[in-house]
Amino acid sequence: MSASLNYKSFSKEQQTMDNLEKQLICPICLEMFTKPVVILPCQHNLCRKCASDIFQASNPYLPTRGGTTVASGGRFRCPSCRHEVVLDRHGIYGLQRNLLVENIIDIYKQESTRPEKKSDQPMCEEHEEERINIYCLNCEVPTCSLCKVFGAHKDCQVAPLTHVFQRQKSELSDGIAVLVGSNDRVQGVISQLEDTCKTIETGFEDPPLQVQAAASGSGNGADSEPARHVFSFSWLNSLNE
């Protein structure tokens, strides 16, 4: 159980790092922010170079020098929320740097360069150098060989993890096949019931001609009883057909 929790913790940590990376993507270059990072009045962030590119595209007639606009003032719209950003005489360089985001980027890059455990080979929490390669049949948890020899599972029955995986996979596949077959049979019964209902409704709305003739030819008194029998049997025979 402890090894399983360790594996889940690692997966959760990786998911957190992935979510953090999504928050550090520039909406213009679609890459991780490149320092310096500037924050707009609407609280969205841009690489300073990307902000300069947007500003130049929005103000194509302003003079530039070395690819950078040298004129003071101007305006452009935030690519995330379309809020209009009005620049002062310092232009793009008048935008405040977001040092917090820059620090987060540095920390993220440091964490990303650390060696990672392979997600397809989880390690035992009790014996950090041992791979989880067997399955305890008594406790129903994956574990390592040392746990079987010296640890908590030394008195338990174990099996190779790959064999247990294949067996459980086969059982799951068989269960799915049974459910699919049952669903097909249920759908067949439903179709038969729907057809029967349609036949019954049609029989009530438009009874056969022989039934109508028998009903109209029957008289009152003693003659009416045979006519009712003819009507009943003829109508039932039409349903059976």
Side-chain angles (χ1 to χ4, degrees):
M1 180 63 72
S2 60
S4 178
L5 292 175
N6 186 32
Y7 177 70
K8 291 181 179 179
S9 176
F10 170 74
S11 300
K12 185 176 181 180
E13 180 181 353
Q14 183 63 39
Q15 183 179 5
T16 301
M17 294 294 290
D18 293 340
N19 292 335
L20 177 60
E21 182 180 0
K22 293 178 182 179
Q23 301 301 319
L24 299 177
I25 298 299
C26 174
I28 300 301
C29 62
L30 301 181
E31 299 288 343
M32 187 171 293
F33 288 119
T34 302
K35 296 191 296 185
V37 181
V38 295
I39 182 170
L40 306 181
C42 57
Q43 301 304 307
H44 289 114
N45 298 286
L46 293 173
C47 309
R48 180 184 286 173
K49 182 181 181 303
C50 293
S52 179
D53 292 341
I54 296 177
F55 178 65
Q56 292 181 25
S58 302
N59 303 271
Y61 300 107
L62 293 179
T64 59
R65 180 185 303 159
T68 303
T69 303
V70 297
S72 62
R75 59 187 63 198
F76 66 95
R77 291 190 178 275
C78 170
S80 298
C81 65
R82 308 305 298 168
H83 176 78
E84 187 176 55
V85 180
V86 180
L87 302 177
D88 58 14
R89 61 187 181 88
H90 299 289
I92 293 296
Y93 290 89
L95 293 173
Q96 184 178 0
R97 289 180 61 177
N98 194 333
L99 299 179
L100 176 60
V101 171
E102 293 182 6
N103 291 335
I104 293 176
I105 292 174
D106 292 337
I107 296 174
Y108 175 83
K109 290 181 177 180
Q110 292 176 3
E111 292 293 329
S112 299
T113 56
R114 289 184 178 180
E116 298 179 354
K117 296 179 182 179
K118 294 183 179 180
S119 58
D120 57 342
Q121 293 184 347
M123 310 301 288
C124 178
E125 188 178 41
E126 298 295 331
H127 310 95
E128 297 181 357
E129 301 298 326
E130 289 293 319
R131 291 190 305 110
I132 294 177
N133 57 357
I134 58 177
Y135 187 85
C136 178
L137 301 176
N138 299 86
C139 303
E140 297 184 345
V141 294
T143 184
C144 75
S145 300
L146 291 183
C147 285
K148 168 57 181 173
V149 178
F150 305 107
H153 303 283
K154 62 182 180 181
D155 297 325
C156 300
Q157 293 182 346
V158 298
L161 189 61
T162 54
H163 294 177
V164 176
F165 169 76
Q166 292 297 335
R167 177 174 57 81
Q168 293 184 354
K169 180 180 178 181
S170 299
E171 292 176 355
L172 181 60
S173 299
D174 295 341
I176 293 175
V178 171
L179 290 176
V180 171
S182 300
N183 181 68
D184 293 340
R185 289 193 294 272
V186 170
Q187 292 298 326
V189 173
I190 292 176
S191 298
Q192 292 178 1
L193 291 175
E194 290 177 348
D195 294 339
T196 303
C197 290
K198 290 180 181 179
T199 302
I200 294 174
E201 292 175 356
T202 303
F204 275 116
E205 294 175 356
D206 188 17
L209 294 177
Q210 61 269 29
V211 176
Q212 297 179 7
S216 61
S218 61
N220 295 327
D223 295 336
S224 60
E225 188 66 24
R228 281 197 295 270
H229 287 295
V230 171
F231 178 87
S232 300
F233 285 115
S234 300
W235 183 70
L236 289 175
N237 289 332
S238 66
L239 290 181
N240 292 329
E241 295 175 356

